[in-house]
Amino acid sequence: MKITINNREYDMPENITILEAVKKANIKIPTLCYIENMEPYGGCRLCVVEVEGSKTLVPSCAVNISDGMKIKTHSKKVRKVRKTIMQLIVASHGISCELNCLTCPRSTTCELKIIAEEIGVTKINIPSVEKKLPSDFSSFSIVREPTKCIVCGRCIRACSNIQGVNIFTFANRGPNTIVTTFLDEGMGNVDCTNCGQCVMNCPTGALHEVYHIDGVWKALNDPDKITVVQTAPAVRVAIGEPFGMEPGTISTGKMVSALRLLGFDRVFDTNFTADLTIVEEGTEFIHRFKEGGKLPLFTSCSPGWIKFIEHNYPEYLPNLSTAKSPQQMFGAVAKHYYAKKLGVPKEKLVVVSIMPCTAKKYEMNRPELVGDVDFVLTTRELAKMIKESGIDFKNLPGEEYDNPFGISTGAGAIFGSSGGVMEAALRTAYEILTGKELEKLDFVSVRGLTKVKEAKVEINGKTIKVAVVNTLGAARKLLEKIKNGEVEYHFVEFMACPGGCIGGGGQPIPTNEEVLLKRMESIYEIDYDSKLRKSHENPAVKELYKEFLKEPNSEIAHHYLHTHYIARN
Amino acid sequence: MIKEKIFLKSDLDKTMENYEFIGLKNSLKLNSKNIVKKITESGLKGRGGAGFPTGKKWQFALSQKSDVKFLICNADEGEPGTFKDRFLLENMPFKVLEGIIIAAYTVKANYGYIYIRGEYSNAIEIFEKTIKDAYHRGLLGKNILGSGFDFELKLIKGAGAYVCGDETSLINSIEGKRGFSRIKPPYPVQKGLFDKPTVVNNVETLTAVAEIMKYEDNIYSKLGTEKSHGTKLVSINGDVKLPDVYEIEFGSMTVKDIIELAGGPKDEINFVVPGGIATSILKDEELDVLYTYEDLEKSGSSIGSGGMIVVSKKHDLLDILLNVSEFFVKETCGTCFPCREGNRNIREILLKMKRKGYKEEYKKIIGDLKESIMLAARCGFGQSSVNFIYSVLEKYFYEEVK
């Protein structure tokens, strides 16, 4: 198809939008309401272009190219209209230093700022509008500040199109249009899973996590407290990004070093309890598989997924593994074992988690789990603290984790990516069930960003069918299929976020497909480079059983490492 | 030809029994292609405001391959100053119904809706009865008048949003969704109600269809001018002595003549809005323009929906502007930024003028806002929302305050 863009002719494939075509011609058109791979919304109108023969300007995100089309992407008319619209957006965002930029969590990643600069807005001629809408503090995980909301609907679309959760909606009309939750009940009082994909898709600071930074600083500054920190698998491949490092850069050593510089007394690895989770969950699977227990077994480490199933499919709660998530296992082990080992009361110990996840903040507050973890920082929050301390993260020398909970295997590391839990579990289950050593450790078919992945494994002459699901939208579809008997599995891994924890709601913004792939690649690289790649071979895990938990799924292991769920329909 | 006030009450006092549905009967003898041809030849343009040729729309819909098609009669008349559809719905519901059935038969739609503005309670009542009677008489349902054509018609009450008069918003509303316009393309005739090909026609358009199909020869195309065929209902109101609905043959009268037809102005005229407040105004000295699509367009305005408002000099211009602005601020759906925020800001500036007087800088801001709304808003309502205010400011206000 021949089209003209800014007086140059191009040969373009059919059935692509003007926006896509222009991108192929190496020209960037500013967008705000547009989300890649999702149906266009056409609300912000920043992407309008001039098309010969059209009376009005044409939204490039929503209109396909046609043969002979003549497009002007940056004509005088287009630039003028774009500038006016951008001014309107900024004005509706309330122009005040305090409100907008200085204290805003998105001050360095604000899309309004970035796009205003790209469009060349240097002056706001339009008087600002004060909205004075109350903030929503009802959730343990996410804060909503509607005053900063520009009503682009990206959170609504992310919540419904990616996650199939649908907690957001538009309300009212005209300039009074707002984004809100069902009956304006607040995010803590609706079926929100706390996954944070709304935060990842918000262009402004209207949605962000509930900050635990102040509490952590207080603990670090308290000489009576012993601060213990754990870092989740997916944080190490993303924490470098806010410091200008390539997405996916493995920064484990620098992160450990930075945490020590911040003042943490012990720096441990959640990968350790990921290994512990595998041993418990793997044993649980073997038990159910052999004794005829409830199958398929569903994994339980993604708190967004847990809340989703509690709200939407409570009839499947018996299928959930009772194993706590690695974060909570760490908390329990730290408070009930490690404190004793140190000879201090557990009240003296402050357990902080660094998580790629916003739902973990909710998880630590669940009544049946509360008390084991004291604070959860997202990857973004940790980066803020490091910046606040003036630590030159990029140039830090690498350091090692503390013992004993710094020892982990490659199986623990891959928890960070969709398919990792399943792969780690299979490595362990196979060896325990067969008593033989697994020749090929890599279950490649469960890796990658595909929403639903399947694999079959032969164990003792029996075929075990597994599935791996990421995003809650895909989870809903798969559960419906299981319900209708269309598919049958023995074991299913569910992760709430796209790509698993690497795409978690607490990760640096922007997180897009390209970034996800880079982070994923690094996660598997960590696994390859590990000396130990099977959870049950982790010597520290073995030691923990010997000293404290006796054996997998023992009574004491159940007491500390397992939990129960609540039907919330 | 038609200069006197035509009350169009010919069918008013007759019951459905006496209404002969000649247009429908004639149509059922023809195939779709021939009806489309006849409507195309009549030169009928959509009377909702956009003025798209009806024959062309039907042809497009007819060429769509689909198991299900829909026909929607748009009776969500919300344009301030416009009440001609209400007149038709209340006074000649049979003729409206006739047009609906003809349109459905032509485009092969077996299901249809009439979406009536919720505020028109009288019209709703009348049309509910009309539909019920029509089912009794075999005019709706299976095998209409023995033709083999099946058509089910349902009435939907609008919940009171101006934007739902936009065909795509109207479709969303019928589907139970928020009244937001949809992105075009795809057009409703390609992918409309429940994603099926859907024809949306205005009440007046469908009444004209019934009238056109009543006659063997094409008398309709002989009325009017070369580019504006037939007649048009004008609902004239404001500062005139006899506000009402009048039927005007295109090209037979100037705007001034129409005002005279309505008893003349009550006071000295300041300006006239020829087609509802989504159109630009004509100043007192511009009223000699002939009432046709082409002449009004040349004068910088348009026929719009045919709601003519006469405004005399006794009104405060700024109050009128604020009133109209308030309307658009209240009724913009909120989806697209230029319309939502632009209209809000125009109101803010007008309020400032009211409180503190005019400042030269407002002119540029309003000019910028008008441009971005007109060029970049998502739907027709948004794009036309600034016509009235801007034209008043340009033609009068700026001059007056200087």
Side-chain angles (χ1 to χ4, degrees):
Chain A
M1 207 174 253
K2 285 228 175 343
I3 61 166
T4 309
I5 302 171
N6 303 335
N7 300 324
R8 272 194 192 203
E9 259 203 29
Y10 292 90
D11 212 4
M12 290 285 173
E14 280 175 47
N15 295 323
I16 59 168
T17 62
I18 298 175
L19 188 68
E20 287 160 339
V22 169
K23 197 177 168 191
K24 282 180 194 292
N26 297 314
I27 293 165
K28 193 186 169 203
I29 291 179
T31 58
L32 202 48
C33 69
Y34 173 77
I35 309 181
E36 218 175 324
N37 302 326
M38 239 181 248
E39 253 192 51
Y41 177 64
C44 75
R45 316 305 279 184
L46 283 176
C47 74
V48 289
V49 294
E50 214 174 314
V51 171
E52 203 178 273
S54 175
K55 248 187 357 200
T56 55
L57 298 177
V58 173
S60 60
C61 69
V63 176
N64 278 7
I65 56 166
S66 56
D67 202 32
M69 194 180 244
K70 289 195 169 73
I71 302 158
K72 280 186 180 156
T73 62
H74 295 79
S75 66
K76 191 180 165 197
K77 207 196 249 176
V78 168
R79 281 190 299 122
K80 194 173 166 214
V81 165
R82 258 186 215 151
K83 275 187 189 177
T84 309
I85 298 172
M86 196 62 216
Q87 286 187 50
L88 284 169
I89 297 168
V90 176
S92 78
H93 190 58
I95 312 166
S96 104
C97 287
E98 197 201 334
L99 187 72
N100 289 357
C101 298
L102 297 182
T103 58
C104 181
R106 291 292 298 275
S107 59
T108 54
T109 55
C110 175
E111 280 184 48
L112 293 193
K113 255 170 122 176
I114 296 165
I115 294 166
E117 198 203 338
E118 279 176 9
I119 292 177
V121 172
T122 50
K123 201 179 160 218
I124 309 294
N125 294 315
I126 290 151
S128 68
V129 187
E130 253 187 88
K131 285 193 254 181
K132 285 188 188 155
L133 296 165
S135 293
D136 173 6
F137 295 112
S138 61
S139 161
F140 279 123
S141 293
I142 295 161
V143 177
R144 228 161 41 87
E145 295 186 39
T147 302
K148 293 178 187 170
C149 174
I150 58 163
V151 203
C152 66
R154 270 164 55 173
C155 53
I156 300 179
R157 278 173 285 147
C159 190
S160 77
N161 295 13
I162 303 173
Q163 298 298 51
V165 172
N166 299 307
I167 69 146
F168 291 118
T169 184
F170 288 115
N172 306 335
R173 195 156 75 189
N176 297 325
T177 308
I178 52 163
V179 175
T180 183
T181 49
F182 175 69
L183 288 178
D184 214 10
E185 295 246 7
M187 293 185 76
N189 306 317
V190 294
D191 292 4
C192 174
T193 66
N194 307 297
C195 73
Q197 288 307 312
C198 53
V199 176
M200 303 304 280
N201 280 286
C202 179
T204 74
L207 283 161
H208 59 81
E209 62 268 59
V210 173
Y211 292 120
H212 288 187
I213 294 179
D214 289 350
V216 174
W217 276 128
K218 204 176 155 200
L220 287 171
N221 292 332
D222 188 341
D224 286 336
K225 299 284 187 198
I226 298 169
T227 49
V228 173
V229 64
Q230 57 164 328
T231 65
V235 174
R236 67 206 68 199
V237 295
I239 184 69
E241 291 164 30
F243 302 96
M245 294 159 80
E246 244 323 271
T249 310
I250 301 167
S251 313
T252 322
K254 290 181 195 296
M255 178 176 65
V256 171
S257 174
L259 287 164
R260 282 209 185 96
L261 287 172
L262 285 175
F264 284 101
D265 296 311
R266 296 286 189 285
V267 183
F268 290 137
D269 198 350
T270 315
N271 288 13
F272 166 78
T273 34
D275 281 335
L276 191 60
T277 302
I278 287 304
V279 173
E280 285 296 318
E281 203 170 78
T283 311
E284 190 184 5
F285 174 69
I286 290 163
H287 189 77
R288 289 197 194 191
F289 188 69
K290 275 186 169 168
E291 319 274 315
K294 194 91 180 162
L295 289 175
L297 180 68
F298 294 163
T299 60
S300 57
C301 31
S302 165
W305 149 246
I306 295 293
K307 190 134 183 287
F308 176 81
I309 187 173
E310 286 179 332
H311 280 297
N312 300 288
Y313 293 91
E315 66 271 31
Y316 281 104
L317 290 180
N319 292 69
L320 277 178
S321 163
T322 57
K324 286 182 185 172
S325 71
Q327 152 164 299
Q328 293 304 133
M329 281 198 184
F330 183 92
V333 170
K335 288 274 166 91
H336 301 283
Y337 164 74
Y338 188 64
K340 266 187 212 144
K341 215 172 143 89
L342 289 180
V344 298
K346 68 179 170 66
E347 289 72 28
K348 215 173 143 69
L349 211 67
V350 177
V351 176
V352 178
S353 332
I354 315 295
M355 292 284 146
C357 179
T358 45
K360 290 284 170 193
K361 290 176 189 268
Y362 174 83
E363 187 183 54
M364 65 157 262
N365 280 299
R366 290 177 70 108
E368 65 277 14
L369 299 173
V370 74
D372 286 349
V373 173
D374 297 290
F375 298 104
V376 172
L377 298 173
T378 60
T379 312
R380 296 188 293 267
E381 282 175 280
L382 176 61
K384 268 180 205 298
M385 288 183 70
I386 296 171
K387 282 184 184 171
E388 273 181 47
S389 312
I391 296 167
D392 179 10
F393 187 84
K394 215 172 165 176
N395 294 314
L396 278 184
E399 288 180 10
E400 296 285 325
Y401 282 106
D402 288 310
N403 279 335
F405 307 142
I407 299 168
S408 64
T409 71
I414 55 176
F415 262 61
S417 186
S418 160
V421 178
M422 180 57 69
E423 188 167 344
L426 288 177
R427 289 179 192 173
T428 291
Y430 181 91
E431 298 208 345
I432 293 176
L433 273 170
T434 61
K436 283 186 237 161
E437 202 167 314
L438 192 60
E439 278 174 32
K440 210 169 146 277
L441 288 179
D442 304 320
F443 293 85
V444 182
S445 61
V446 296
R447 297 181 182 179
L449 296 180
T450 314
K451 295 270 167 68
V452 179
K453 297 163 278 186
E454 290 178 324
K456 283 179 190 165
V457 193
E458 291 282 328
I459 299 183
N460 291 345
K462 277 186 185 162
T463 307
I464 294 181
K465 282 161 81 179
V466 304
V468 169
V469 187
N470 67 95
T471 74
L472 297 172
R476 192 188 282 279
K477 279 186 197 146
L478 192 86
L479 283 166
E480 287 299 323
K481 279 191 179 171
I482 291 176
K483 216 175 185 174
N484 300 332
E486 285 172 56
V487 288
E488 235 174 277
Y489 300 108
H490 296 97
F491 200 176
V492 189
E493 175 200 306
F494 288 95
M495 287 289 160
C497 294
C501 304
I502 47 172
Q507 292 283 50
I509 298 171
T511 291
N512 52 35
E513 207 172 292
E514 197 190 326
V515 172
L516 282 181
L517 285 169
K518 285 182 182 167
R519 290 180 192 156
M520 188 174 69
E521 205 177 300
S522 302
I523 286 274
Y524 288 107
E525 199 184 314
I526 294 171
D527 174 35
Y528 279 122
D529 293 345
S530 300
K531 273 188 211 131
L532 295 170
R533 294 183 62 198
K534 290 173 256 178
S535 296
H536 57 285
E537 289 179 354
N538 183 331
V541 170
K542 285 182 184 167
E543 188 66 26
L544 185 68
Y545 277 108
K546 215 168 105 191
E547 269 191 33
F548 179 54
L549 298 167
K550 293 187 179 138
E551 59 185 53
N553 275 314
S554 67
E555 211 181 307
I556 182 165
H558 255 270
H559 182 70
Y560 288 112
L561 306 183
H562 289 255
T563 184
H564 59 272
Y565 307 102
I566 304 147
R568 297 177 197 267
N569 50 336
Chain B
M1 177 182 162
I2 309 174
K3 280 203 175 167
E4 75 276 28
K5 181 182 174 187
I6 300 209
F7 283 100
L8 277 175
K9 283 191 177 168
S10 47
D11 309 305
L12 238 191
D13 303 315
K14 297 175 191 166
T15 62
M16 192 179 281
E17 204 165 351
N18 295 327
Y19 187 81
E20 291 183 87
F21 291 96
I22 296 170
L24 175 61
K25 285 171 189 161
N26 286 343
S27 300
L28 293 175
K29 283 181 223 152
L30 300 172
N31 62 24
S32 300
K33 223 175 122 187
N34 288 329
I35 301 173
V36 170
K37 193 167 168 253
K38 190 161 179 180
I39 296 298
T40 306
E41 280 168 4
S42 78
L44 178 65
K45 287 181 187 173
R47 299 290 195 239
F52 190 79
T54 307
K56 215 169 160 183
K57 193 186 256 186
W58 288 9
Q59 177 58 50
F60 201 13
L62 194 58
S63 67
Q64 301 292 315
K65 286 195 174 65
S66 175
D67 50 340
V68 176
K69 287 180 191 175
F70 292 103
L71 186 281
I72 297 172
C73 173
N74 184 350
D76 190 58
E77 186 173 47
E79 181 79 4
T82 309
F83 44 90
K84 42 106 190 167
D85 288 346
R86 174 174 158 188
F87 180 91
L88 293 171
L89 291 165
E90 290 180 354
N91 293 288
M92 39 187 57
F94 313 143
K95 196 173 273 192
V96 177
L97 176 75
E98 186 180 14
I100 292 173
I101 305 168
I102 295 170
Y105 171 76
T106 310
V107 302
K108 300 190 190 305
N110 298 109
Y111 303 92
Y113 292 91
I114 175 161
Y115 186 99
I116 306 183
R117 177 174 191 193
E119 292 90 333
Y120 283 1
S121 49
N122 194 25
I124 289 167
E125 216 174 285
I126 290 171
F127 220 86
E128 266 168 356
K129 188 177 181 309
T130 302
I131 290 178
K132 216 170 133 196
D133 291 352
Y135 271 105
H136 273 300
R137 301 191 167 274
L139 287 155
L140 287 173
K142 294 246 175 284
N143 193 18
I144 290 169
L145 300 178
S147 64
F149 172 58
D150 305 334
F151 181 60
E152 306 284 339
L153 180 67
K154 230 179 143 174
L155 188 149
I156 304 260
K157 286 179 229 174
Y162 176 65
V163 75
C164 286
D166 166 81
E167 53 181 8
T168 58
S169 310
L170 191 152
I171 285 167
N172 272 341
S173 171
I174 295 179
E175 287 183 7
K177 294 175 185 156
R178 198 175 156 80
F180 274 2
S181 66
R182 292 183 182 176
I183 294 168
K184 292 190 274 190
Y187 293 92
V189 286
Q190 301 165 293
K191 205 176 165 190
L193 188 63
F194 304 114
D195 289 344
K196 300 290 180 187
T198 303
V199 170
V200 185
N201 283 140
N202 175 262
V203 171
E204 190 189 343
T205 316
L206 291 168
T207 320
V209 163
E211 200 62 26
I212 292 164
M213 295 310 294
K214 201 165 154 183
Y215 301 98
E216 287 290 319
D217 61 340
N218 217 330
I219 58 158
Y220 203 81
S221 66
K222 286 171 199 141
L223 295 172
T225 66
E226 204 187 321
K227 283 180 180 162
S228 306
H229 296 271
T231 63
K232 172 86 189 83
L233 293 190
V234 178
S235 50
I236 183 165
N237 58 115
D239 298 320
V240 286
K241 287 182 185 141
L242 296 169
D244 207 336
V245 177
Y246 297 86
E247 186 174 14
I248 311 293
E249 185 192 349
F250 280 120
S252 68
M253 288 176 147
T254 63
V255 170
K256 206 175 204 163
D257 295 337
I258 296 172
I259 294 166
E260 288 306 319
L261 184 67
K266 273 188 186 164
D267 281 294
E268 203 183 335
I269 295 177
N270 199 353
F271 63 82
V272 172
V273 198
I277 61 167
T279 61
S280 300
I281 62 155
L282 296 172
K283 285 177 84 164
D284 188 24
E285 61 264 29
E286 295 170 323
L287 301 180
D288 282 328
V289 59
L290 213 53
Y291 194 76
T292 68
Y293 282 100
E294 58 274 22
D295 289 282
L296 275 170
E297 207 162 294
K298 245 184 271 164
S299 76
S301 190
S302 62
I303 295 275
S305 60
M308 194 179 284
I309 308 167
V310 180
V311 180
S312 72
K313 287 191 172 160
K314 68 176 180 187
H315 302 284
D316 181 73
L317 272 179
L318 198 46
D319 284 344
I320 294 174
L321 290 179
L322 269 166
N323 189 306
V324 171
S325 179
E326 197 61 52
F327 173 80
F328 282 110
V329 171
K330 210 178 134 218
E331 294 295 341
T332 164
C333 78
T335 310
C336 82
F337 293 18
C339 179
R340 178 183 78 212
E341 299 301 332
N343 275 302
R344 180 219 303 257
N345 278 286
I346 288 177
R347 181 188 60 184
E348 293 305 314
I349 293 167
L350 292 171
L351 278 170
K352 273 188 188 168
M353 282 194 212
K354 180 86 187 162
R355 281 192 228 109
K356 295 174 188 162
Y358 174 80
K359 274 188 200 154
E360 194 57 36
E361 69 197 61
Y362 296 154
K363 196 170 174 174
K364 187 190 173 320
I365 300 177
I366 288 189
D368 287 350
L369 292 177
K370 171 225 158 202
E371 194 181 8
S372 64
I373 298 171
M374 273 181 80
L375 289 172
R378 202 166 113 136
C379 71
F381 281 157
Q383 287 156 15
S384 59
S385 64
V386 281
N387 285 334
F388 173 84
I389 294 169
Y390 188 71
S391 62
V392 171
L393 284 170
E394 280 291 300
K395 288 187 174 177
Y396 278 95
F397 198 78
Y398 292 140
E399 280 312 307
E400 249 179 39
V401 287
K402 259 178 207 165

